[in-house]
Amino acid sequence: KYLKAYCVMLDVVFDKSHNLLYLLDIINQKDNSIINDDMYMKCEKINDFSTQTRYPIEDFHEPTLEETKEAYQIALQIKEFVLQKFKGS
């Protein structure tokens, strides 16, 4: 949700999507100075959490406690990143 909020702040039109990598690509089109490989790697790591936990499929992988903690930490980092962008605008 924070990446979507940043898209709105940048006045970027985007499709309804849970794909974090897509959102980073959209943001990058407007502001390519802020998204780096580290952010892409983090979002790639948690990208499936946004859909698999809501819409489980037959071969659903239930995340371990460690994977869940890591995903949570990454989500907090993304939140902080976006909040810093709001403060700087």
Side-chain angles (χ1 to χ4, degrees):
K1 297 290 182 187
Y2 283 94
L3 291 177
K4 288 179 181 180
Y6 191 52
C7 285
V8 171
M9 186 185 98
L10 292 174
D11 199 29
V12 175
V13 177
F14 58 95
D15 295 331
K16 184 177 179 180
S17 176
H18 295 295
N19 187 325
L20 302 177
L21 302 175
Y22 161 75
L23 293 172
L24 288 180
D25 287 342
I26 295 297
I27 291 168
N28 222 14
Q29 290 175 11
K30 186 79 170 195
D31 184 357
N32 63 5
S33 67
I34 57 146
I35 305 298
N36 57 31
D37 289 342
D38 183 53
M39 180 67 80
Y40 271 97
M41 288 185 338
K42 287 177 181 177
C43 285
E44 186 173 26
K45 202 169 236 189
I46 66 169
N47 200 40
D48 289 339
F49 275 81
S50 64
T51 55
Q52 285 187 5
T53 54
R54 285 186 182 174
Y55 315 108
I57 55 175
E58 191 172 308
D59 61 345
F60 174 69
H61 163 72
E62 180 141 356
T64 65
L65 180 58
E66 198 57 42
E67 289 170 327
T68 303
K69 286 180 179 179
E70 181 181 23
Y72 178 71
Q73 289 303 313
I74 291 171
L76 289 177
Q77 291 170 12
I78 292 168
K79 173 185 172 183
E80 186 58 34
F81 167 80
V82 173
L83 290 177
Q84 289 300 318
K85 291 298 174 184
F86 276 109
K87 288 178 185 175
S89 65

